[in-house]
Amino acid sequence: MLKIFLAFVRKETFHILRDTRTLVILFGMPIALVLIFGYTISNEFKGASIAIVDEARDALSAELIAHLTASGHFELVAQPPDMAGMEKAFQTGEVKLGIVIPAGFEQSFFREKRAAVQLLADATEPNYATTLTNYATQMITAFQQEQGRVEVLPYQVGVHIQMLYNPTLVGAYNFIPGVVALILMLICAMMTSLTIAREKETGTMDLLLVSPLSPMVILLGKVTPYVVLSFVNAVIVFLLGYLVFDVPVRGSIVLLLVLCLLYLMVALGLGVLISTLAATQQTAMMTSLFTLLMPTMILSGFIFPIASMPTALQYAAHIIPAKYFIEIEKNIMLKGAGWEAVQFSSLVLVAMMLFLFAAAWRNFKVVYD
Amino acid sequence: MQRLLFIIQKEFIQIFRNKGMLPLITVVPIVQLIVLSFAASNEVKDVNLAIVDLDHSQYARELVHKIEVADRFILVDFPPATRHGDERLQDGTVDIVLTIPPDFEQDFFKNKGAAVQLLVNAINGQQATVGAAYLSTIVRDFNQEIQQDVLPVRRLAAGAPRIEIASSNWFNEELNYQYFMAPGIMGELVTILVMLLTAMNIVRERELGTIEQINVTPIKKWQFILGKMIPFLIVGLILLTVGLTAGKLIFDVPFRGSLWVIFAYCLVNLAAVLGLGLFISNISDTQQQALLTTFFFVIIFILLSGLFTPIESMPTWAQYLTVPNPIAHFVHVMRSVLLKGSTFGDVLYNFKVTAVLVVVFNVLAVSSYRKVV
């Protein structure tokens, strides 16, 4: 029995190793993802192109414009003559923020002590618009204080903010756990469902099953190489996180890796289950893509915080295995938590694993017995 | 010409024959659109807060009340001591612990530098920063209010000239996040689906052996490639229509610009993406390879397209990478035309660049197709 199992493991391993391109992608993708997340994805405000409608055209308005552009954050790319021109500037995508300085700006400011300025933000991207408006407001307020020579008022209440567990708010603490969850799901669920579906499609599955070998052994033999592959991949991602982005593992590494294996088993169960339901590789692929990978990316809390989602989706997030695994990862890696803290999530994963194995086994028997 | 029509007919028959695929290419993308548009929000609400009030003064109570009515926070607990607050952070029941130190009110009246402390669980970056920012704003407002008690109002108003800033949000007054996400997601889903289907297509025929049957026919390369592309072009356009309808019905996405521009652009974009898909299909030996290669491209395209995070926040070298990225252009055109009412002229640049991509990808596709394996 063991010999047969090992024979299948070897066969599948050779299949995998012979396919260099797949291997390159399977190892290259997580590395590429980590690098992209680390170096390009952010919500940081770096600067914006602005347009200014200057109806005042006096000395003070010129000074305000100079003040705004001198900071280096705002680049003046257009000076439309009117609001219609401003709208056009937005529509071409040239600018994201517009400023209107009304006529008589200097007079109003110095004589009547009150001048008005209008900020127009391109709110197609709501968060960005809010950030831009805030920045511009700060800069204009600073200009106002400069011009009016106001001293700092006494009787201030200070706010001391201390960020815990993530002292520099580095995004890496968020996406490294997520990428590991994603890649484990990709390899263990999608790849295994594909490999089994492929044997079904080309007809070799039936050949295997009419032989006197136990289907369970065949199945185990086929999926074991993928388990090993994905585990190695996960370790690489953790190492990458540690070496390049200083993402630590403050808790027990052993506990982390054991729970990785648990999650891996859940993904495996999902993969096998899908393969029992899909007749062709195409179907297996589309099914695992849309029911596994997409929800894992979207609802697991990896990219978008679960707390920001509408309630219905928050409930839906509870059936995504990745959500629990990512929580486990973050607790162990960033908070240094031990078994007690991750107990609940781990038990949920165990329950999922058992359920999936049972369902897959039932399907398998029904079809092939 | 006739041969071309026959190939197109064959492809459609094959698409419809595969019963498992049909829901996957119609229902599932729509579900994705809905789920993703709702899920992909960076709006911060319901931040779990614990307040440790060591002062118990009038001002402390007023501040707490102010936070309560702000509606952004869920006041989970009022621990009696700071270490209880720390425990709450550790076990994750709260995101922020606000501590009002003893003698807070007294220190304020004596102008000794009263301060409050925020301990923030920064594991989920956004909740932390935005939550802390909201709290800071509330404290600042509170500060201004209680300053009235100490300083005569006259002193504050006289002398200093002020600039009053009126800000307005154009194209999306209520800052509705779904208006922002749904058009982009529509573009992205159509692109992914069509690219996946195309990429799997030729390889599948090669794996199953039916490609050899086609190869022995007198069909020409270009007829074969076109014959594969046109059905998927049609599928893509239909999908876009369904997506736009769903977007309108469910999210009430504004349609300020011309839908002709949208469809025309979709056609050009699909032609480019199909070319890329076919190229991948030609150079892959197995469906699995085709799938993984496509997935690899798609994920990178999506992340770097400005769909979820702004292109302006990327480093300059990454911003250049958005030029050959079809999804980046599609998302931009969808958002500009639908939400801002941009015209054909406004997005001409996108049309031009995508047209270049059409040529590049399809030349690659045609030249990589080997009729003799």
Side-chain angles (χ1 to χ4, degrees), chain A residues 265-270 273 321 351-361:
Chain A
M265 291 290 155
V266 175
L268 205 61
L270 278 168
L273 183 61
M352 284 184 177
M353 174 183 85
L354 293 172
F355 172 71
L356 289 168
F357 279 179
W361 178 238

Side-chain angles (χ1 to χ4, degrees), chain B residues 16-62:
Chain B
F16 287 117
R17 191 186 302 157
N18 194 340
K19 288 285 184 284
M21 286 290 287
L22 278 180
L24 284 173
I25 63 177
T26 47
V27 175
V28 174
I30 301 303
V31 170
Q32 294 273 327
L33 173 65
I34 299 174
V35 169
L36 194 47
S37 301
F38 276 123
S41 166
N42 278 319
E43 200 189 334
V44 173
K45 44 182 177 151
D46 296 340
V47 180
N48 291 321
L49 178 65
I51 302 183
V52 179
D53 180 1
L54 300 174
D55 189 32
H56 304 293
S57 64
Q58 173 77 350
Y59 274 177
R61 277 197 294 277
E62 276 179 32

Side-chain angles (χ1 to χ4, degrees), chain A residues 69-289:
Chain A
T69 49
S71 68
H73 288 300
F74 289 132
E75 194 189 335
L76 182 61
V77 299
Q79 292 201 293
D82 53 27
M83 288 303 228
M86 181 69 91
E87 189 172 5
K88 203 59 184 163
F90 279 136
Q91 282 175 335
T92 54
E94 267 181 277
V95 296
K96 292 273 156 70
L97 182 72
I99 303 180
V100 180
I101 308 175
F105 182 57
E106 187 167 1
Q107 268 218 338
S108 318
F109 186 71
F110 286 119
R111 298 276 169 77
E112 291 138 44
K113 305 275 192 218
R114 286 160 75 143
V117 163
Q118 240 193 328
L119 288 180
L120 309 164
D122 178 354
T124 29
E125 202 167 342
N127 274 3
Y128 197 65
T130 316
T131 312
L132 277 185
T133 313
N134 279 343
Y135 249 79
T137 307
Q138 276 179 27
M139 295 187 79
I140 297 178
T141 312
F143 177 75
Q144 164 200 296
Q145 289 199 303
E146 230 177 82
Q147 290 292 325
R149 272 152 300 213
V150 177
E151 329 86 26
V152 178
L153 294 171
Y155 295 105
Q156 303 287 0
V157 175
V159 181
H160 300 312
I161 305 182
Q162 195 184 345
M163 302 288 191
L164 296 178
Y165 310 127
N166 200 346
T168 49
L169 282 184
V170 173
Y173 285 47
N174 285 324
F175 67 75
I176 292 280
V179 171
V180 173
L182 189 69
I183 206 70
L184 286 176
M185 185 61 87
L186 179 72
I187 299 183
C188 276
M190 191 154 91
M191 298 298 292
T192 53
S193 73
L194 267 185
T195 187
I196 298 175
R198 190 173 343 131
E199 300 247 9
K200 276 208 270 186
E201 200 173 3
T202 51
T204 54
M205 182 62 103
D206 293 331
L207 281 178
L208 288 173
L209 290 166
V210 297
S211 64
L213 306 165
S214 147
M216 183 79 314
V217 172
I218 299 175
L219 205 61
L220 280 176
K222 280 189 84 62
V223 302
T224 309
Y226 290 104
V227 170
V228 174
L229 190 64
S230 56
F231 192 71
V232 170
N233 220 332
V235 171
I236 292 182
V237 175
F238 282 134
L239 274 175
L240 201 61
Y242 178 63
L243 295 171
V244 181
F245 296 106
D246 289 326
V247 178
V249 179
R250 296 206 176 104
S252 156
I253 298 185
V254 172
L255 183 61
L256 182 64
L257 291 178
V258 165
L259 292 174
C260 265
L261 271 176
L262 174 58
Y263 173 70
L264 214 148
M265 291 290 155
V266 175
L268 205 61
L270 278 168
V272 176
L273 183 61
I274 290 181
S275 72
T276 59
L277 300 169
T280 65
Q281 283 185 73
Q282 248 187 339
T283 326
M285 176 272 289
M286 296 290 245
T287 317
S288 40
L289 196 60

Side-chain angles (χ1 to χ4, degrees), chain A residues 283-297:
Chain A
T283 326
M285 176 272 289
M286 296 290 245
T287 317
S288 40
L289 196 60
F290 285 118
T291 61
L292 291 183
L293 286 169
M294 289 293 202
T296 297
M297 283 184 71

Side-chain angles (χ1 to χ4, degrees), chain A residues 295 299 309-321 323-324, chain B residues 35:
Chain A
L299 294 177
M309 300 181 198
T311 336
L313 285 182
Q314 289 193 27
Y315 283 130
H318 284 295
I319 61 169
I320 310 282
K323 168 185 177 290
Y324 300 99
Chain B
V35 169

Side-chain angles (χ1 to χ4, degrees), chain A residues 19 21-22 25-26 29 32-33 36-37 39-44 46 86-88 90-93 96 105 109 113-130 133 137 140 143-144 148 150 153-166 169 174 186 190-191 194 198 201 280-283 285-287 289-290 293-294 297-299 304-305 307-310 313 330 334-335, chain B residues 18 21 24-25 28 32 35-36 38-43 45 89-90 92 104 108-109 111 114-127 129 136 139 143 147 150-151 156 159-172 175-177 180 192-193 196-197 200 204 207 283-284 287-289 291-293 295-296 299-300 303-304 308-310 312-315 317-318 339-343 346:
Chain A
D19 189 352
R21 189 176 308 166
T22 304
I25 296 185
L26 284 182
M29 198 181 329
L33 280 180
I36 290 181
F37 273 109
Y39 291 119
T40 64
I41 300 284
S42 90
N43 280 306
E44 200 190 326
K46 286 219 169 91
M86 181 69 91
E87 189 172 5
K88 203 59 184 163
F90 279 136
Q91 282 175 335
T92 54
K96 292 273 156 70
F105 182 57
F109 186 71
K113 305 275 192 218
R114 286 160 75 143
V117 163
Q118 240 193 328
L119 288 180
L120 309 164
D122 178 354
T124 29
E125 202 167 342
N127 274 3
Y128 197 65
T130 316
T133 313
T137 307
I140 297 178
F143 177 75
Q144 164 200 296
V150 177
L153 294 171
Y155 295 105
Q156 303 287 0
V157 175
V159 181
H160 300 312
I161 305 182
Q162 195 184 345
M163 302 288 191
L164 296 178
Y165 310 127
N166 200 346
L169 282 184
N174 285 324
L186 179 72
M190 191 154 91
M191 298 298 292
L194 267 185
R198 190 173 343 131
E201 200 173 3
T280 65
Q281 283 185 73
Q282 248 187 339
T283 326
M285 176 272 289
M286 296 290 245
T287 317
L289 196 60
F290 285 118
L293 286 169
M294 289 293 202
M297 283 184 71
I298 302 167
L299 294 177
F304 309 109
S308 300
M309 300 181 198
L313 285 182
K330 284 185 176 173
L334 307 178
K335 286 196 199 171
Chain B
N18 194 340
M21 286 290 287
L24 284 173
I25 63 177
V28 174
Q32 294 273 327
V35 169
L36 194 47
F38 276 123
S41 166
N42 278 319
E43 200 189 334
K45 44 182 177 151
L89 272 178
Q90 264 271 348
F104 172 68
F108 180 76
F109 278 122
N111 200 10
V116 297
Q117 199 203 28
L118 296 181
L119 280 177
V120 182
N121 175 358
I123 284 190
N124 272 323
Q126 273 237 302
Q127 288 279 96
T129 27
S136 302
V139 174
N143 192 179
Q147 273 179 348
V150 219
L151 299 171
L156 284 171
R162 286 197 329 271
I163 299 182
E164 284 171 352
I165 304 174
S167 59
S168 58
N169 292 309
W170 275 15
F171 309 119
N172 189 358
L175 293 181
N176 183 325
Y177 227 85
F180 173 57
I192 299 181
L193 205 69
L196 275 174
L197 286 175
M200 302 280 279
R204 184 151 191 272
E207 264 189 6
I283 61 173
S284 304
Q287 284 187 64
Q288 180 175 285
Q289 274 186 3
L291 163 65
L292 284 177
T293 318
F295 192 60
F296 184 61
I299 279 228
I300 295 187
L303 288 175
L304 293 178
F308 300 128
T309 58
E312 292 89 3
S313 298
M314 297 183 198
W317 59 265
L339 300 175
K340 296 196 268 196
S342 300
T343 60
D346 295 324

